[in-house]
Amino acid sequence: MLNFELLKTDPDSHARRATLTLNHGKVQTPIFMPVGTYGTVKGVMPRSLEEMGAQIILGNTFHLWMRPGLDVMQSFGGLHQFEKWDKPILTDSGGFQVWSLGAMRKISEEGVKFASPVNGDKLFLTPEVSMQIQTILNSDIVMQFDECTPYDTKGHITTEAEARVSMELSLRWAKRCQAEFTRLQNPNALFGIVQGGMYENLREESLAALVDMDFPGYAIGGVSVGEPKEEMLHIMGHTPHRLPANKPRYLMGVGTPEDLVQGVADGVDMFDCVMPTRNARNGTLFTRFGDLKMRNARHKSDPQPIDPSCTCHACAGTSGVSWNDGGREGFSRAYLHHLDRCGEMLGPMLTTIHNLHYYLNLMREIREALDAGTFTEFRARFKSDRARGV
Amino acid sequence: MLNFELLKTDPDSHARRATLTLNHGKVQTPIFMPVGTYGTVKGVMPRSLEEMGAQIILGNTFHLWMRPGLDVMQSFGGLHQFEKWDKPILTDSGGFQVWSLGAMRKISEEGVKFASPVNGDKLFLTPEVSMQIQTILNSDIVMQFDECTPYDTKGHITTEAEARVSMELSLRWAKRCQAEFTRLQNPNALFGIVQGGMYENLREESLAALVDMDFPGYAIGGVSVGEPKEEMLHIMGHTPHRLPANKPRYLMGVGTPEDLVQGVADGVDMFDCVMPTRNARNGTLFTRFGDLKMRNARHKSDPQPIDPSCTCHACAGTSGVSWNDGGREGFSRAYLHHLDRCGEMLGPMLTTIHNLHYYLNLMREIREALDAGTFTEFRARFKSDRARGV
């Protein structure tokens, strides 16, 4: 099931506040969804995600199909029980991952043939198989199997004709997904994905055809695939607000904090990205006043937390669990710098909590601003704060 | 400061229950101390250690001297504030680590010359320098700088004459440590370390000389250094109970759960070992009914937690933090097997919590049995339980 209740729209932009109800609970939008590829958001306990206010997380169909495999997933009755996460889950279709296999896969009308990168088994991923796998995973939001149109292939920028062929294939696959999803009596919600590359007319054609199929929600795919920033912003400004106002809109794989704020203004309700978790492991930390490179030697003795105004467990030391001494402040930049230098696991554990908290808190602030009718002021303050430098 | 209050002694063995009071708080003994080499118990948040009931943790003088270095340690006023652990800390002397450098170090009466494995700097670790570093770390228990007598060197078993030379050097260093510790007006407690290899008479000589120096606590070093198990058990049966009854006794670097139970019976109050944390990362998990190899394929679909009777966060899901659904059980063996196979950080995060909880809980059960006067029964049940197999 899926219910989308629009609570408020911003008069100065396409931004909206809504409540999305799924089989495993309610999600307040706009929302950022942490990515849990292999059934775990890298380096974070489920309880920490709950403390941080994560409402919905992602799983990757392709990865979970490879490991642990469908037999294990079936025996657990799906991904929720396996990974101990009882709030909503969204799974992708596996399309992006098989597409990323490059020369190792072969795309036809029927689907994608490829060799398992884990054990070499010859596998065939089709719209029907993707629906079958996602039904076993029992994710609250199932994504249609699509072809992610590349921005370029070895320097050759995808032409309009090529983008059309790809987009039309995705549309035919969308129909097959819908039929299989219905046949399987999947009780969750299937989203269609708008493709069309960087071409407005193709995006509009894709969107119109998908709207005709009447999905309970829509995603915008094929952005954040190597295109110049202005091309991405162009599509963000073009497509989301053209989608039906009474259904959720999900911008796949985006992005920086600035992209999220812009995306909300463009009418997007849902985002996912590996950036907060991956950057945490690489020592790039997000803060209200800009990004911090934890590996920089200037942090060697710095007693400050990552962001003195942040309330995450890494910065404040008290998120969700009471310490014995209550008022103790968080971990210092010097300590995090040291942990990174020594390759200690606690480093990425703490920085991942910080970065995810930053993203989730940013979306919370956006929702509060939308509720209060102050989103325009919020955007201005966000921009000047981030430009200040940390 | 150090105060040692003996609460109870076991009539059937050398076991004792006591309360050890240090500058950062009280420790109920017998106790296991998790090892936090680089200022972090690998893979565990300080708050998780608190939840598990850790009362005192270790830090490694040598490692912390190399990274982050003494300037950073000094600016934080010691290790507690740097690593955000406000209960007691014990630091080793650095002796074991420089000894482990093998050909890269040169031992003389004065101390040990070596090249920093981090940046090649030529360094000189002496009893005085070790005291100076540990004073900067502000650890609650400071260990004397000693030479760890090897069991063998490339197959040559240390002779009594060689063990004597080494033990006597450690005694002279003990005196220098005591003088420097006093000169520095270190407000914490300095422990002497009994050496003497596998030779009872040398152990007795070392012990008598150290007792004459009147340390507030004593350790037994030079065990668990590659000797056959029966040699270790022989020294454990010989030395601990000969130490002064009114002072704490610390058996360094030991050991398996069986070793801990035996060590308590032999009169030991304090233990440390990397086994629970290292084994967790390598997939060997301790349980009441024996050890579990998490990498074994038979766990692939097993829905059971590591140990259904265990109350740790990995097994019970509820340690210290309430989940939204309260009664939810812990993570399955299948999930932990999967995380290990995928190299996901959450695997060692959860298994480390489990193994440390096992060790800390074992010591809690030992203390309860000593309090109740049922230690003999406890030992019998422990032995039969562990032999049952998991």
Side-chain angles (χ1 to χ4, degrees), chain B residues 146-254:
Chain B
D146 64 342
E147 187 187 50
C148 182
T149 310
Y151 176 71
D152 70 332
T153 310
K154 295 177 183 171
H156 164 73
I157 293 175
T158 303
T159 63
E160 183 178 337
E162 289 163 344
R164 171 176 293 283
V165 168
S166 171
M167 178 271 281
E168 289 177 349
L169 177 63
S170 286
L171 284 180
R172 293 190 298 276
W173 285 356
K175 269 204 202 305
R176 285 167 54 190
C177 285
Q178 202 171 41
E180 182 68 7
F181 187 85
T182 304
R183 189 189 72 78
L184 292 164
Q185 299 184 292
N186 185 312
N188 299 300
L190 174 64
F191 277 32
I193 305 177
V194 179
Q195 291 288 353
M198 301 298 139
Y199 303 96
E200 286 190 358
N201 57 320
L202 297 185
R203 289 277 172 186
E204 284 166 35
E205 272 187 53
S206 172
L207 188 155
L210 290 168
V211 169
D212 276 349
M213 291 183 225
D214 194 25
F215 286 97
Y218 297 95
I220 297 114
V223 290
S224 197
V225 289
E227 73 278 13
K229 190 83 174 190
E230 60 269 25
E231 298 258 25
M232 184 179 92
L233 291 172
H234 183 79
I235 295 299
M236 280 167 61
H238 171 268
T239 309
H241 72 272
R242 287 182 160 79
L243 285 161
N246 62 339
K247 295 187 174 177
R249 303 159 177 170
Y250 162 32
L251 182 61
M252 301 179 84
V254 173

Side-chain angles (χ1 to χ4, degrees), chain A residues 45-47 84, chain B residues 48 51-52 285 294 303-308 310-319 323 328-333 335-336 339 346-355 357:
Chain A
M45 302 226 188
R47 71 175 182 186
K84 298 290 172 192
Chain B
S48 294
E51 282 171 24
M52 286 187 264
L285 307 185
M294 195 43 71
Q304 293 183 88
I306 302 164
D307 179 349
C310 176
T311 59
C312 84
H313 179 66
C315 289
T318 52
S319 162
W323 290 69
R328 173 160 53 176
E329 75 274 37
F331 299 91
S332 64
R333 293 179 189 177
Y335 185 57
L336 295 167
L339 293 175
L346 186 59
M349 285 164 62
L350 290 170
T351 55
T352 301
I353 283 180
H354 172 81
N355 271 2
H357 179 275

Side-chain angles (χ1 to χ4, degrees), chain B residues 108-166:
Chain B
S108 68
E109 180 68 30
E110 182 62 12
V112 184
K113 284 203 167 103
F114 66 100
S116 160
V118 172
N119 60 17
D121 282 358
K122 288 194 173 154
L123 296 168
F124 194 29
L125 187 56
T126 65
E128 290 76 17
V129 169
S130 176
M131 293 304 103
Q132 289 155 17
I133 298 172
Q134 292 184 77
T135 299
I136 289 171
L137 295 176
N138 194 28
S139 40
D140 296 77
I141 296 178
V142 169
M143 299 307 296
Q144 76 149 96
F145 188 68
D146 64 342
E147 187 187 50
C148 182
T149 310
Y151 176 71
D152 70 332
T153 310
K154 295 177 183 171
H156 164 73
I157 293 175
T158 303
T159 63
E160 183 178 337
E162 289 163 344
R164 171 176 293 283
V165 168
S166 171

Side-chain angles (χ1 to χ4, degrees), chain A residues 163-383:
Chain A
R164 172 176 292 282
V165 169
S166 171
M167 178 271 280
E168 289 177 349
L169 177 64
S170 286
L171 284 180
R172 293 191 297 276
W173 285 358
K175 269 203 201 306
R176 285 167 57 189
C177 285
Q178 202 171 40
E180 183 68 6
F181 187 84
T182 304
R183 189 188 72 77
L184 292 164
Q185 299 184 292
N186 185 313
N188 298 300
L190 175 63
F191 277 31
I193 304 177
V194 179
Q195 291 287 354
M198 301 298 139
Y199 303 95
E200 286 189 0
N201 55 321
L202 297 184
R203 290 275 172 188
E204 284 166 33
E205 273 188 52
S206 172
L207 188 155
L210 289 167
V211 169
D212 277 348
M213 291 184 226
D214 193 26
F215 286 96
Y218 297 94
I220 297 115
V223 289
S224 198
V225 289
E227 73 278 12
K229 191 84 173 188
E230 59 270 24
E231 297 259 23
M232 183 180 94
L233 291 172
H234 184 77
I235 294 299
M236 280 166 60
H238 170 269
T239 309
H241 72 273
R242 288 182 158 80
L243 285 161
N246 62 340
K247 295 187 174 178
R249 304 159 177 170
Y250 162 31
L251 182 62
M252 302 179 82
V254 173
T256 64
E258 282 70 17
D259 293 339
L260 266 58
V261 172
Q262 183 59 46
V264 169
D266 289 334
V268 174
D269 305 303
M270 304 160 69
F271 301 87
D272 82 285
C273 193
V274 295
M275 192 174 275
T277 41
R278 181 175 292 164
N279 280 14
R281 298 194 301 280
N282 296 333
T284 298
L285 306 185
F286 297 100
T287 85
R288 184 171 295 272
F289 299 115
D291 300 344
L292 193 75
K293 300 281 185 188
M294 195 42 72
R295 289 178 184 167
N296 194 310
R298 75 188 167 99
H299 302 302
K300 188 170 187 285
S301 311
D302 192 339
Q304 292 183 89
I306 302 163
D307 178 349
S309 73
C310 176
T311 60
C312 85
H313 179 67
C315 289
T318 52
S319 162
V321 171
S322 65
W323 291 69
N324 286 357
D325 67 353
R328 173 159 53 177
E329 76 273 36
F331 300 90
S332 63
R333 293 179 188 176
Y335 186 57
L336 294 167
H337 177 83
H338 164 72
L339 293 175
D340 178 72
R341 208 172 145 218
C342 296
E344 287 284 353
M345 278 170 64
L346 186 59
M349 287 164 62
L350 290 170
T351 54
T352 300
I353 284 180
H354 172 81
N355 271 2
L356 278 179
H357 179 275
Y358 175 86
Y359 267 64
L360 293 164
N361 188 59
L362 174 62
M363 299 312 288
R364 192 183 299 120
E365 290 182 350
I366 289 173
R367 290 194 300 274
E368 287 169 4
L370 289 169
D371 284 336
T374 56
F375 185 56
T376 301
E377 294 85 335
F378 173 85
R379 290 175 71 187
R381 196 175 61 246
F382 168 81
K383 198 175 166 183

Side-chain angles (χ1 to χ4, degrees), chain B residues 343-385:
Chain B
E344 286 284 352
M345 278 171 65
L346 186 59
M349 285 164 62
L350 290 170
T351 55
T352 301
I353 283 180
H354 172 81
N355 271 2
L356 279 179
H357 179 275
Y358 175 86
Y359 266 63
L360 292 165
N361 188 59
L362 174 63
M363 301 311 288
R364 192 183 299 120
E365 290 182 350
I366 289 172
R367 290 194 300 274
E368 286 168 4
L370 289 169
D371 285 335
T374 57
F375 185 56
T376 300
E377 295 85 334
F378 174 85
R379 289 175 72 186
R381 196 176 62 245
F382 168 80
K383 198 173 165 182
S384 67
D385 276 354

